[in-house]
Amino acid sequence: MKYHDDLTRRYLKRRWAPWASTLAVTLGVFSLLTVLAVMEGFKVEMRERIRGTLSHLVVEADPFRGLVGEDSLLEAIRNTEGVEAAAPHVSTLALYKVGIMDHCVLRGIDPIPESKVSDLARYLLSDDEIDQMLSDKFSMLPPDREPSTAEEIAHVFSIERRRQIMSFRLNEDPGPGFTRESPPQAIIVGIEALRSFRLQMGDVVQISSYSPVTLEPCSGNFLVVGAFQSGVYEQDLRWAYTNIRALQDTLQLWDDSAEDMRISGISIKLEDFQKADEISETLHKEIQSRMSLPEDDPKSIPSRITSIETWEDKRANLIKAVEIEKRIISVLMLLIVAFASGMIFLILMLLVIEKERDLGVLRALGATRSGIVLLVLKQGMFLCTTGAILGLLSGWIFLENINEFHDFIFRMTGLQLFPPNVYYLERIPVVLRYQDVLLVCLPTLIFGFLGSVLPSMRAGRQDPIKALHHE
Amino acid sequence: MSDSSAPLPVVSVRNLERSFPLVNGEKLMVLKGLDLQIYEAEMVAIVGLSGVGKSTLLHCLGLLDTPSGGEITYRSGEKTWKTSQLDEDSRCQLRNHFIGFVFQFFHLLPDLNVLENVLLPSQVSRTSRAWNKNRDEFHGRAESLLQRVGLSGREKQAPGTLSGGERQRVAIARALMLSPPLLLCDEPTGNLDSRPSESIHELLRELHEDYSTSILVVTHDPDLAARGDRRLQMVDGRFEAESTS
Ligand SMILES: Nc1ncnc2c1ncn2[C@@H]1O[C@H](COP(=O)(O)OP(=O)(O)O)[C@@H](O)[C@H]1O
Ligand SMILES: [Mg+2]
């Protein structure tokens, strides 16, 4: 109705209180949008980094029995439809001692196949890059950097490189049984292990663990020959790579009954990760049928395999944690919107009481009950949608320039809200998904409606005679 | 009234009753079977003691209140409406088109200016699009009404800046905006001094003659009561005596 437009305009003009509720909605929408976009960006970034260090699928063996006869298994896996590459690995928890004692996750890899299944090639640092990283605590790899080739990775593990590295560390003792000419096996550590001075290039570290075969302690010496940066702090501090044969020897993985060296599992790269579940299903069947030796045969492979998991399964908790954080913060931010809707409720209630007489006059002039209800409802929804639009706009502008704002605050106050050394994020990641925008708008409008509906019902129920009775 | 065709009632009230429930469970009978006819182009004045039920009658006639018994029939040309057969929507429509209200306390909307107040009846029943189509016509009508009540040039003024008499003139213009066949005035000068009262009385009488609107006016003012074609005395929920002037 025509009178709605004019009265809405007049009622909201020259009054500041209604706009306070709009401001509250703006604030709520702004915070909600910002939080969702940054958390989503953070999640995507995390996933990306975790994904790189893990392969698409991992065939995981029973930790105590390991996996034997990997050649035929690898063959079978590589021939499966949709599989691009497969590589064996051994992994163990280990303690190492240089100056201090610390623990790490040590993976024995076969360099050339490994380079085809994971992003190690992208994370492996050249010597120049290591120097640069160590001189600047916050520096990160440029994203468009050329990945190392399989040969380069193999070279890092090679005897020539170990000899060369030893030649720079004249004071380093290669350890019993080793000489400068036949140095210990190579180990590649994360850049944070170097940055935190736990380890140094050219260090000979003694690694200790338990052999899953003999269940006795075992140890071996390794020479730090390189470093990688995955971008996930925890991994860059605790993960280390060595040659699979060297680690098999150290861990005494020779399986007498099967007459083969054990491995811990097989990493698989797929042509299309979207098909991971499907392919893992096929692999299961494949392995079951092709390796159908009797259950008690030591070479029986299926009984030694515990799972075939995607990398997402393996790191589900980490990603879920971010997802849950995102949800919790969103709910908290929604409280701001709920608060704003409470403000709309109060303001409309006051308006209905203040304008009781006006509404009575309108009824006397022929306005319908529903017309009066709509008049009040429209005011509430107008305040709410204005707030939502302003919030979306300001949020969008803010997100577009979030790093500039961050830099500005840093320059002004020296406050680093997002320390790059924790998450290695030089820039605050932002991913604005339309689902999230919807997730912001919908509850806001619903809350706005809920806040407006009671006052408008009250306005509609008012008795015009009573309203007109007094001046 | 010397016309050959007999004048027809614009509104006729038959046996109207209105009672209010009291807290002790009894009923307060305010209107007790009241009959009334108001003819086309007639001005009727109702007088009576305070609390006798004059406003209640006007509210019933104005479709703001629902009678407890009896019936009111509205007529315009060939068409008639009976209160017993009206749904909520047609009540609103009748209130909008058939009836104009003038209150003791003017009841202008303070947020709107004078012109907008007068335009209001044309806006409550029309969508923005329908209204905008006839915008010029409505503005013309409102402006001529304002001129007629002696307030031309004051269109943009806020009601708060007007004197009581001027406010009541705006209220009268508003009531006449859609040329309703029936104008209900509840003590229109009850809140005014004698000078502005007198000019309002004159205005009502003039408008009555100009627009040939039927007017029912409740008043304590003998001067205004004397200007009516008929004067009805309300006593104990009924009309006691009729005197024609
Ligand atoms: N809603 C109501 N509830 C109870 N009593 C009412 C109500 N409205 C009016 N009355 C009573 O009805 C009587 C008539 O009131 P009213 O029509 O306003 O008188 P007046 O002739 O002065 O305009 C009064 O006694 C008043 O107290
Ligand atoms: Mg009264």
Side-chain angles (χ1 to χ4, degrees):
Chain A
M1 296 287 123
K2 173 69 180 168
Y3 72 104
H4 289 163
D5 312 350
D6 296 2
L7 276 179
T8 302
R9 205 172 322 128
R10 289 306 163 93
Y11 283 168
L12 298 179
K13 220 168 141 186
R14 283 197 293 272
R15 270 170 238 262
W16 61 267
W19 301 109
S21 69
T22 299
L23 195 70
V25 174
T26 306
L27 205 72
V29 168
F30 175 86
S31 330
L32 200 51
L33 193 75
T34 309
V35 162
L36 284 177
V38 171
M39 294 294 281
E40 185 62 27
F42 189 62
K43 194 179 98 189
V44 168
E45 193 74 33
M46 284 281 285
R47 277 173 61 104
E48 196 51 36
R49 289 175 185 196
I50 293 168
R51 190 186 64 74
T53 46
L54 297 168
S55 59
H56 288 162
L57 278 179
V58 182
V59 178
E60 199 91 58
D62 180 307
F64 288 106
R65 300 180 62 197
L67 204 57
V68 291
E70 80 246 30
D71 289 341
S72 65
L73 187 57
L74 278 169
E75 180 75 24
I77 291 171
R78 283 176 183 140
N79 286 334
T80 305
E81 171 97 16
V83 172
E84 200 177 291
H89 67 260
V90 171
S91 77
T92 184
L93 263 176
L95 282 173
Y96 64 82
K97 182 171 162 258
V98 194
I100 49 171
M101 194 141 82
D102 211 335
H103 65 95
C104 66
V105 177
L106 187 57
R107 275 169 81 87
I109 57 164
D110 197 349
I112 295 195
E114 178 71 17
S115 68
K116 293 187 184 124
V117 299
S118 73
D119 278 348
L120 181 61
R122 270 178 47 211
Y123 301 143
L124 191 64
L125 303 170
S126 70
D127 292 344
D128 289 344
E129 284 167 338
I130 294 172
D131 289 343
Q132 187 209 327
M133 295 259 157
L134 291 180
S135 63
D136 177 1
K137 235 175 129 48
F138 298 140
S139 76
M140 286 278 298
L141 284 180
D144 49 352
R145 156 185 180 277
E146 209 42 48
S148 321
T149 61
E151 288 70 36
E152 280 169 325
I153 297 177
H155 172 72
V156 177
F157 289 91
S158 69
I159 179 103
E160 293 80 23
R161 175 160 172 91
R162 280 181 274 146
R163 281 185 186 142
Q164 185 195 356
I165 296 229
M166 274 317 288
S167 68
F168 288 121
R169 293 289 296 266
L170 294 174
N171 295 329
E172 189 75 18
D173 175 17
F178 298 104
T179 65
R180 279 177 198 286
E181 281 311 298
S182 69
Q185 286 289 344
I187 187 170
I188 299 177
V189 297
I191 189 72
E192 290 304 323
L194 297 184
R195 277 179 175 161
S196 62
F197 305 114
R198 284 172 167 82
L199 295 171
Q200 275 185 340
M201 288 288 281
D203 272 349
V204 173
V205 288
Q206 193 183 35
I207 303 251
S208 307
S209 187
Y210 274 86
S211 163
V213 180
T214 62
L215 300 178
E216 292 296 324
C218 54
S219 70
N221 281 8
F222 292 86
L223 177 65
V224 178
V225 295
F228 65 89
Q229 181 180 45
S230 71
V232 181
Y233 181 81
E234 197 55 28
Q235 293 177 3
D236 288 351
L237 186 65
R238 301 257 175 242
W239 281 25
Y241 291 95
T242 184
N243 192 299
I244 186 165
R245 306 281 163 244
L247 192 56
Q248 282 173 331
D249 286 339
T250 307
L251 292 175
Q252 299 155 22
L253 289 182
W254 180 256
D255 190 316
D256 276 331
S257 52
E259 294 179 352
D260 194 4
M261 274 293 189
R262 291 180 183 179
I263 59 170
S264 312
I266 294 173
S267 311
I268 301 169
K269 177 158 180 157
L270 305 175
E271 281 156 12
D272 180 6
F273 179 67
Q274 303 299 325
K275 299 200 178 116
D277 290 330
E278 207 179 299
I279 292 169
S280 106
E281 193 72 17
T282 346
L283 281 178
H284 250 297
K285 285 196 199 116
E286 189 87 348
I287 291 165
Q288 296 286 355
S289 66
R290 289 180 70 147
M291 313 283 155
S292 55
L293 291 169
E295 183 74 8
D296 54 349
D297 188 305
K299 284 189 176 169
S300 158
I301 287 173
S303 68
R304 289 174 180 251
I305 293 174
T306 53
S307 64
I308 302 181
E309 288 184 316
T310 65
W311 69 267
E312 276 184 326
D313 298 335
K314 284 180 76 81
R315 286 312 195 84
N317 284 343
L318 200 64
I319 293 167
K320 208 173 272 170
V322 181
E323 184 63 43
I324 289 171
E325 265 174 60
K326 183 181 166 192
R327 223 174 296 157
I328 291 172
I329 298 183
S330 312
V331 169
L332 292 181
M333 293 292 155
L334 259 180
L335 287 182
I336 304 183
V337 177
F339 166 76
S341 104
M343 269 177 87
I344 291 180
F345 169 80
L346 283 179
I347 278 159
L348 289 184
M349 220 54 190
L350 287 177
L351 185 89
V352 169
I353 291 166
E354 182 194 335
K355 296 294 170 195
E356 181 182 11
R357 208 192 49 164
D358 284 18
L359 300 179
V361 174
L362 286 168
R363 295 272 282 136
L365 295 179
T368 57
R369 208 179 276 275
S370 52
I372 299 291
V373 171
L374 265 180
L375 172 67
V376 179
L377 199 62
K378 273 183 184 173
Q379 308 234 347
M381 289 316 281
F382 178 76
L383 292 173
C384 180
T385 32
T386 309
I389 290 169
L390 287 178
L392 284 181
L393 269 180
S394 57
W396 181 64
I397 291 170
F398 178 72
L399 288 170
E400 285 289 303
N401 303 291
I402 188 164
N403 285 297
E404 282 73 12
F405 283 117
H406 187 229
D407 293 346
F408 178 74
I409 291 172
F410 181 58
R411 274 203 306 280
M412 283 318 193
T413 64
L415 200 68
Q416 195 128 39
L417 301 173
F418 215 81
N421 55 341
V422 175
Y423 291 117
Y424 283 142
L425 294 170
E426 290 214 310
R427 313 268 74 192
I428 300 171
V430 168
V431 173
L432 194 53
R433 302 186 307 168
Y434 74 93
Q435 300 101 295
D436 287 339
V437 174
L438 217 65
L439 202 70
V440 173
C441 292
L442 226 61
T444 305
L445 294 183
I446 290 172
F447 271 123
F449 180 78
L450 289 181
S452 317
V453 97
L454 273 180
S456 45
M457 298 296 261
R458 193 205 136 119
R461 269 206 313 275
Q462 237 161 39
D463 180 6
I465 299 175
K466 256 186 218 142
L468 293 171
H469 209 71
H470 300 286
E471 189 177 10
Chain B
M1 305 269 159
S2 57
D3 215 273
S4 55
S5 60
L8 290 164
V10 173
V11 58
S12 56
V13 178
R14 262 198 32 244
N15 199 24
L16 188 70
E17 289 177 2
R18 179 66 169 115
S19 57
F20 297 101
L22 295 176
V23 274
N24 58 15
E26 286 172 28
K27 277 199 224 159
L28 174 69
M29 296 288 289
V30 178
L31 303 179
K32 304 172 180 169
L34 177 146
D35 293 310
L36 171 68
Q37 255 109 41
I38 299 164
Y39 294 93
E40 264 171 30
E42 191 186 24
M43 181 164 168
V44 178
I46 295 178
V47 294
L49 295 175
S50 178
V52 80
K54 306 179 297 294
S55 296
T56 306
L57 171 65
L58 248 54
H59 291 149
C60 287
L61 283 172
L63 291 165
L64 288 170
D65 201 356
T66 329
S68 327
E71 187 156 65
I72 308 172
T73 311
Y74 303 88
R75 197 188 56 77
S76 167
E78 297 296 294
K79 274 192 264 176
T80 57
W81 297 269
K82 288 179 189 300
T83 41
S84 56
Q85 292 156 6
L86 290 175
D87 60 11
E88 180 60 26
D89 270 355
S90 21
R91 282 167 69 92
C92 291
Q93 231 160 3
L94 272 186
R95 225 184 279 147
N96 185 228
H97 280 92
F98 200 92
I99 293 151
F101 253 118
V102 176
F103 306 97
Q104 180 179 359
F105 296 111
F106 329 129
H107 290 329
L108 299 177
L109 268 55
D111 295 274
L112 302 179
N113 66 29
V114 166
L115 182 68
E116 287 162 337
N117 264 288
V118 177
L119 285 170
L120 213 45
S122 69
Q123 299 182 332
V124 295
S125 57
R126 281 178 183 80
T127 60
S128 299
R129 187 183 300 168
W131 191 88
N132 285 330
K133 218 179 282 171
N134 296 315
R135 187 177 184 282
D136 291 343
E137 188 192 318
F138 290 130
H139 270 259
R141 166 85 182 157
E143 272 156 21
S144 78
L145 275 170
L146 279 174
Q147 190 177 13
R148 182 64 193 79
V149 300
L151 286 173
S152 59
R154 319 283 290 268
E155 287 87 351
K156 294 277 178 285
Q157 236 169 298
T161 61
L162 298 178
S163 73
E166 288 166 336
R167 284 186 218 185
Q168 195 60 299
R169 285 159 186 271
V170 176
I172 291 169
R174 179 177 70 184
L176 294 173
M177 177 65 201
L178 296 180
S179 323
L182 180 63
L183 189 63
L184 304 173
C185 309
D186 195 352
E187 303 192 33
T189 53
N191 206 33
L192 296 176
D193 295 336
S194 57
R195 276 277 289 285
S197 291
E198 206 166 312
S199 66
I200 292 286
H201 298 163
E202 254 172 52
L203 178 67
L204 276 177
R205 186 71 218 180
E206 281 168 25
L207 288 172
H208 168 65
E209 270 146 26
D210 287 4
Y211 295 103
S212 58
T213 305
S214 307
I215 300 182
L216 182 63
V217 55
V218 168
T219 185
H220 285 299
D221 194 313
D223 175 51
L224 180 55
R227 289 176 196 260
D229 301 318
R230 276 191 291 159
R231 194 172 137 264
L232 300 175
Q233 175 88 35
M234 200 167 171
V235 179
D236 194 27
R238 286 197 197 86
F239 290 121
E240 196 185 48
E242 254 186 57
S243 61
T244 317
S245 57

